[in-house]
Amino acid sequence: AVVDATECMPTFGAAFDDIRGFVRGGYSTLMNREGDLARLGTDYCLDWDYFMSMVLPQAVSHDCVVFVMRASEYSHVAGEVAGVCGRVRERGCKIAAILVGSSQDNCKVDYSLFDNHVEVLLPWQPLSHYWSCDSHMDYWAFLCEAAVKWVLNAVSTGAHVMIGKVLRNRMIDMQVSNSKLYYRAIKIIQEFSGGGEATAECSLLSAIHGRDTVDSALLSAELRQHLQAATGKRQVVPVAVLVSTGRYTVQEALAALLENPVVRSVLKQT
């Protein structure tokens, strides 16, 4: 969950608080080499206590809290989960659960706590025919983690599609923070504008630097200068796509997206 949340910022251009992951027990559960990183600031706080005291009070009705749990361990955390769910309900948020385990797990889960749930129950016996006990456990754990990651990817991707971060299966609001993403952005702009690569790059540079006119000096500048200007800036590619249509200045594109952040809806209005 934490890994999936961290990937959303560069992939979709998400804000830090759009999707976050929290771990029961925090860093003591993760057992990372550096120890408790919460000392570095609130951005590094990821235990449930911090979620309950600092994040949940800011939650609103269109937020969703997703629990990810091992089926075999549910009975040990059922009371705590029920308590957290109660507090989340008070904020009017939706609650979902992803339960991962073996098809042999025999645990009773109170699904009435959740609005929706997904069971990721992988077969146990067929796999045990191919590996020794130790290697089987390792491989089975890997499959569980991969399956949960796929489910979380579906959740986070679906959420970003709904808020306009995806256009025709393209992750359009990515951060232009390195050379690979810079040239990928040009291809995306070119695809939606129908123009040439040079025109698409000019639209991208306009969005990055906030300039309607791209002169020779800007075109000849080093790539690192463009990346520095683009890093941390949101809606660079959506603005560039609108600019590339020839119907928007940079400021007009920003205003249109402020009124309606879903790029495909704005394009339909042009």
Side-chain angles (χ1 to χ4, degrees):
V2 174
V3 171
D4 187 71
T6 60
E7 291 174 344
C8 290
M9 293 179 66
T11 303
F12 295 103
F16 178 78
D17 288 318
D18 284 351
I19 294 184
R20 296 189 62 179
F22 298 91
V23 181
R24 179 176 178 270
Y27 288 99
S28 60
T29 298
L30 293 180
M31 296 186 294
N32 57 306
R33 183 183 301 175
E34 298 83 358
D36 190 346
L37 297 179
R39 65 184 183 277
L40 299 178
T42 56
D43 288 355
Y44 294 85
C45 295
L46 47 73
D47 59 25
W48 281 19
D49 290 339
Y50 180 79
F51 168 75
M52 297 288 284
S53 62
M54 301 302 294
V55 177
L56 184 57
Q58 309 301 320
V60 293
S61 59
H62 61 253
D63 287 322
C64 180
V65 176
V66 181
F67 289 86
V68 182
M69 299 173 289
R70 289 283 297 270
S72 59
E73 298 174 356
Y74 177 78
S75 60
H76 302 296
V77 299
E80 193 171 355
V81 169
V84 174
C85 286
R87 293 280 301 279
V88 173
R89 288 289 182 203
E90 293 174 2
R91 300 298 306 171
C93 305
K94 296 293 185 181
I95 307 175
I98 301 171
L99 201 72
V100 59
S102 164
S103 54
Q104 291 185 338
D105 286 328
N106 184 20
C107 62
K108 295 182 179 180
V109 179
D110 184 5
Y111 287 121
S112 66
L113 295 172
F114 316 114
D115 298 301
N116 293 285
H117 71 273
V118 174
E119 291 183 342
V120 183
L121 302 179
L122 301 178
W124 179 267
Q125 187 62 33
L127 294 177
S128 63
H129 291 309
Y130 300 99
W131 294 279
S132 64
C133 182
D134 291 339
S135 61
H136 168 64
M137 288 292 292
D138 292 341
Y139 190 74
W140 184 82
F142 168 77
L143 289 178
C144 286
E145 292 176 2
V148 169
K149 184 63 168 63
W150 294 332
V151 174
L152 290 173
N153 279 349
V155 172
S156 59
T157 300
H160 285 105
V161 169
M162 293 175 69
I163 63 174
K165 299 286 188 179
V166 177
L167 179 63
R168 298 181 195 169
N169 290 328
R170 299 289 190 184
M171 295 173 287
I172 194 172
D173 201 10
M174 61 189 181
Q175 292 185 10
V176 185
S177 55
N178 58 50
S179 59
K180 181 183 74 173
L181 295 178
Y182 180 87
Y183 291 109
R184 180 186 297 174
I186 292 174
K187 293 295 184 184
I188 291 174
I189 297 164
Q190 187 178 359
E191 177 180 345
F192 293 113
S193 69
E197 183 176 339
T199 302
E201 185 172 15
C202 285
S203 298
L204 178 59
L205 293 177
S206 291
I208 290 175
H209 296 281
R211 296 166 53 175
D212 292 319
T213 302
V214 177
D215 55 25
S216 58
L218 191 59
L219 281 171
S220 61
E222 293 184 9
L223 178 57
R224 62 179 178 82
Q225 294 178 256
H226 304 318
L227 297 179
Q228 288 173 354
T231 299
K233 184 174 290 188
R234 303 187 66 185
Q235 294 190 311
V236 169
V237 180
V239 168
V241 169
L242 295 183
V243 168
S244 71
T245 65
R247 300 184 180 94
Y248 294 87
T249 64
V250 173
Q251 291 305 315
E252 288 170 346
L254 286 168
L257 291 170
L258 181 62
E259 183 178 346
N260 185 354
V262 182
V263 182
R264 59 180 175 272
S265 298
V266 178
L267 287 172
K268 288 179 180 179
Q269 298 169 5
T270 58

